[in-house]
Amino acid sequence: MIDSRSLMAWCLAALVVSCGRCLSSDRPARQANATSGISADASHGLTNDPTRLAENPNADGARTISDPRDLLRMYGIDDSHFDALIDGRPMHADEQETLMRVMFRLRDFPRADIERWAHRKFDPVGLAKSPDAERGQIYYLEGSVTSIEVLRPLEEVAERFELDRYYRSEFLLDNCRQPAVVFTRTVPKAWQKGGPVDQPATAYGVFLKLGRDDVKAPLPMFVAPRIAWHPATALGRLGMDVGLLDDVENQKTITARERECFYQMLAAVSRAKPGQLLREADRKLKRDGKKRFSVVPLFNRPEEQFGRLIAFSGTARRVVRVRVDDPDIVARFGIDHYYQLYLFTEDSQSNPLVFCVPALPKGMPTGDDPRFAEYVRVAGFFFKTWAYHPSVPVEQSQPSGKRTQRWQLAPLLIGTRPVWYPREKPATNTLGSAIAGGLFVLALLGVWLVLWRNSRRDRKFHEETIVKALAMDSGISLEDLGQDITDKPDFSNLEAADASDSGEEQSQEKEK
C-alpha cells in the first residue's frame, strides 16, 4: 500500500519533471561561453557545439545538422510554426509566436554555420514565386538601413522570451534596390531611439514571409541575430561591424561578449592594403594641424577612443606570437595566430601600448628578453583599456598573507603589419674587408717607418753630441810637467805641518 506521503512525493516529482519539459521547450539554458583573452595561453573557444544534438535522449547516436530548418526543428520550431505564416500581409499578432521563437533561438546558432548556410545571391522575384520552399533559409543581406521602429511585446511574451523590446528595420538592398524588413533583438546604440537612419549595413536573415502581395515588390521579411553597421569611417569601410564596439568595456580582460568584436577588427585590418592605414592616419594629422598623435587621451579618456585610428612610432620591447585554437575563428576569418607588440613611445614613459597585429615584416624577430628592442611604426584602431598581468609577475603581500599577481592597465590597439626599422649590422663584403685590411697594414708600415727614422736620428744625435761631450780631453802628460815622480809615498811635508801647528799652540798659551 502507498501511504499519503509517498503519493504526494510522487505527484510532486511528476509535476517538477513536467514543468521542466515545458520550460525547456521555450527557455533553454544559455550556452556558456568561455572567457576569451588575448594572451598566449588564453582560451578562445566556446564550450558548447549546438550543431550536434541528440535526436533521441535515449539513443546512442547523434545526427549532424545539415541546414537551418533542421537545427530549428531540434529547437522545437517545426513546420507547423512556419505554416502559420501568411504571405501578402504585414506581420500579424497570430504570427508573433513563430517570430519570437526564431528570434530567441538564433542567438544559439553558431556564427560559422550561419555564414556557411547563407545564400549570397538574393532574388526577390524568384522568392515571391515560391516562398514556402525558402522559409527558414538564411540569406546574406547587404544594403542600407533607412529607418528603425522600436517594438515592445506583451508582458507575458517579454518574460517568456527574455525580451523587453525588439526592432523592425527597413532595409534597402543594394543588389536589386528592393526594400525588405528585418526583425532583430538589438541594433547599434546609435539607432536604438528609432527613426530615420540611412546607414550602410549587412545582416544574415532567416526568411519568414512576404509582407506584400506583389510579385515585383514583395517586401520579404527576415529575422536576424543582429544588423552589422558599416559607417563611412576607416574601420567601417574595411567591413567591420562597428556596432560591436557597444559591448566593449574598459579596464577588463577580453570578455566573451567582446570576442567577436576583437576578431572582426583583426580581420578588418588584415584586409587593408599595405601602408593604407598609415597614410590615412597621416592625413588625419595633417587635417588637425598636428605632427604626431598623443598617448594621453588613450590613458585619460579611453571611453572616447573606441575605434579611433591612430599611428605611433616607438620601441617594441616585447613581441610574442599568439596561437588561436578556436575552430570557428580559423574557419570564418582564416586567423590561426597573431602577434602582440608592447610599444614604448616618447610620451608613454614606462607605460606600454599593446598592439595586436596579424603579421610581422619579413625578418623581424620576436622575443621578450630584457635586452630586446626593435624600432617600429604602426597604425591601428583603439580597442579598449586592457587589464592584463605583466610578463614579469609582480607579487604583492596581502593582509591575509596571500600573494597575488598585480593587474596592469594598458591601451589595447589592433593594427596592421608594422613598419620595421632594423638596426644596422657590420658589413660582410669581402672586397670591403680586404681593402680595410690593406689600409690597416699600410698604416702599420707607416707607423714603423716613422719610428725607424726617429730611431736613426736618435742614434746619430747620441754619437755626434752626447758621446763627444762625455769624451776626455787628451790633455798634457805628467812627465811633461817637470816634476819628480817617485814610486814611494812622500811624507816630507808632514814635518813642516806639525811645526806650524805647535807654533800656533804656543802663541795661544802666551795670550792666556
Side-chain angles (χ1 to χ4, degrees):
M1 255 182 101
I2 300 175
D3 59 12
S4 59
R5 291 184 180 180
S6 299
L7 181 61
M8 184 178 297
W10 184 86
C11 293
L12 181 60
L15 180 61
V16 169
V17 171
S18 177
C19 292
R21 289 176 179 174
C22 294
L23 290 174
S24 63
S25 64
D26 287 335
R27 189 184 302 182
R30 292 176 179 266
Q31 292 183 1
N33 292 346
T35 301
S36 174
I38 61 171
S39 61
D41 58 350
S43 173
H44 297 291
L46 293 177
T47 58
N48 295 333
D49 181 11
T51 61
R52 295 190 63 83
L53 298 174
E55 186 176 10
N56 186 336
N58 298 322
D60 295 331
R63 67 188 184 90
T64 303
I65 307 303
S66 59
D67 65 9
R69 281 292 292 266
D70 202 8
L71 181 57
L72 289 170
R73 289 189 189 97
M74 296 299 99
Y75 284 137
I77 305 172
D78 54 23
D79 294 345
S80 64
H81 293 91
F82 286 100
D83 292 341
L85 300 173
I86 301 175
D87 295 310
R89 67 175 187 178
M91 189 64 66
H92 198 264
D94 57 8
E95 300 170 324
Q96 290 290 319
E97 177 73 14
T98 301
L99 172 63
M100 290 296 162
R101 278 177 171 265
V102 176
M103 187 182 298
F104 183 85
R105 285 301 186 175
L106 272 179
R107 61 184 181 177
D108 296 330
F109 274 43
R111 293 186 65 93
D113 286 338
I114 290 176
E115 296 176 11
R116 178 168 58 89
W117 287 332
H119 299 279
R120 298 285 170 170
K121 294 182 179 180
F122 178 68
D123 179 15
V125 176
L127 186 67
K129 293 179 179 179
S130 56
D132 291 335
E134 299 300 321
R135 295 194 211 278
Q137 298 301 314
I138 298 177
Y139 285 87
Y140 176 70
L141 309 175
E142 185 175 10
S144 59
V145 173
T146 58
S147 65
I148 298 289
E149 181 182 0
V150 183
L151 303 175
R152 298 184 181 277
L154 298 175
E155 184 177 352
E156 60 180 17
V157 175
E159 182 180 357
R160 183 181 172 195
F161 292 103
E162 303 175 1
L163 184 68
D164 62 344
R165 70 180 67 184
Y166 63 103
Y167 300 88
R168 181 184 186 276
S169 302
E170 295 282 349
F171 216 98
L172 184 62
L173 302 174
D174 282 345
N175 60 340
C176 57
R177 306 306 299 172
Q178 289 280 351
V181 173
V182 180
F183 294 95
T184 56
R185 294 177 62 90
T186 183
V187 294
K189 285 183 179 179
W191 305 353
Q192 288 181 359
K193 292 182 178 179
V197 175
D198 193 20
Q199 288 291 324
T202 58
Y204 289 93
V206 175
F207 173 65
L208 295 181
K209 58 174 284 183
L210 300 175
R212 285 200 295 252
D213 189 11
D214 186 346
V215 177
K216 294 183 179 180
L219 190 63
M221 292 186 167
F222 302 86
V223 57
R226 64 177 293 114
I227 293 179
W229 179 28
H230 310 290
T233 62
L235 195 53
R237 287 190 292 268
L238 291 173
M240 165 77 183
D241 178 8
V242 177
L244 290 171
L245 291 168
D246 294 341
D247 296 329
V248 177
E249 296 181 85
N250 284 313
Q251 299 186 6
K252 291 185 177 181
T253 60
I254 304 298
T255 65
R257 293 184 64 190
E258 298 167 350
R259 172 182 177 272
E260 179 69 18
C261 184
F262 176 85
Y263 284 114
Q264 275 209 29
M265 191 177 290
L266 193 62
V269 298
S270 301
R271 292 190 286 267
K273 296 179 181 179
Q276 176 183 342
L277 297 185
L278 279 174
R279 290 191 295 270
E280 292 194 28
D282 289 339
R283 286 195 293 267
K284 187 177 186 305
L285 280 177
K286 188 175 181 180
R287 288 195 302 267
D288 296 341
K290 298 179 180 179
K291 294 183 178 180
R292 65 178 185 179
F293 291 97
S294 172
V295 303
V296 175
L298 308 186
F299 286 95
N300 295 346
R301 299 190 302 276
E303 66 280 354
E304 301 174 6
Q305 312 302 317
F306 293 121
R308 179 188 173 202
L309 177 61
I310 319 170
F312 290 105
S313 298
T315 302
R317 303 304 302 272
R318 183 171 185 248
V319 179
V320 294
R321 187 179 187 272
V322 181
R323 186 181 65 187
V324 178
D325 295 326
D326 294 347
D328 66 318
I329 298 300
V330 177
R332 293 170 56 209
F333 303 118
I335 299 174
D336 59 8
H337 72 277
Y338 60 90
Y339 296 88
Q340 286 181 354
L341 279 72
Y342 290 72
L343 188 71
F344 293 81
T345 66
E346 291 182 359
D347 56 345
S348 71
Q349 301 177 5
S350 59
N351 302 302
L353 310 177
V354 181
F355 274 86
C356 294
V357 298
L360 296 178
K362 185 178 180 179
M364 181 174 173
T366 60
D368 55 2
D369 186 89
R371 295 173 296 177
F372 185 89
E374 296 294 338
Y375 194 80
V376 298
R377 176 168 164 76
V378 58
F381 298 97
F382 181 84
F383 185 72
K384 67 180 291 181
T385 299
W386 179 41
Y388 71 102
H389 290 305
S391 58
V392 179
V394 178
E395 295 184 340
Q396 297 176 333
S397 296
Q398 302 297 319
S400 61
K402 297 181 180 179
R403 299 176 67 84
T404 58
Q405 193 174 28
R406 179 175 62 87
W407 287 93
Q408 185 169 331
L409 299 177
L412 176 62
L413 301 97
I414 300 178
T416 186
R417 183 196 305 262
V419 178
W420 175 42
Y421 301 92
R423 289 170 289 183
E424 295 183 1
K425 297 181 179 180
T428 57
N429 188 289
T430 305
L431 179 61
S433 301
I435 293 174
L439 292 175
F440 179 71
V441 172
L442 290 176
L444 288 178
L445 289 174
V447 172
W448 178 83
L449 181 60
V450 171
L451 293 175
W452 179 75
R453 293 186 63 183
N454 288 340
S455 65
R456 288 194 59 189
R457 290 177 183 174
D458 290 344
R459 188 164 57 251
K460 186 176 181 181
F461 177 77
H462 182 271
E463 293 174 352
E464 295 181 356
T465 306
I466 299 177
V467 173
K468 183 183 261 187
L470 297 177
M472 294 183 62
D473 192 0
S474 58
I476 303 174
S477 175
L478 292 176
E479 296 178 354
D480 296 336
L481 294 177
Q483 297 181 355
D484 295 333
I485 300 175
T486 65
D487 55 354
K488 297 180 179 180
D490 183 10
F491 300 104
S492 61
N493 291 329
L494 293 178
E495 295 179 356
D498 290 340
S500 175
D501 291 338
S502 62
E504 290 180 1
E505 292 175 359
Q506 290 176 2
S507 62
Q508 289 176 358
E509 289 177 358
K510 289 179 181 184
E511 289 177 0
K512 291 178 180 180

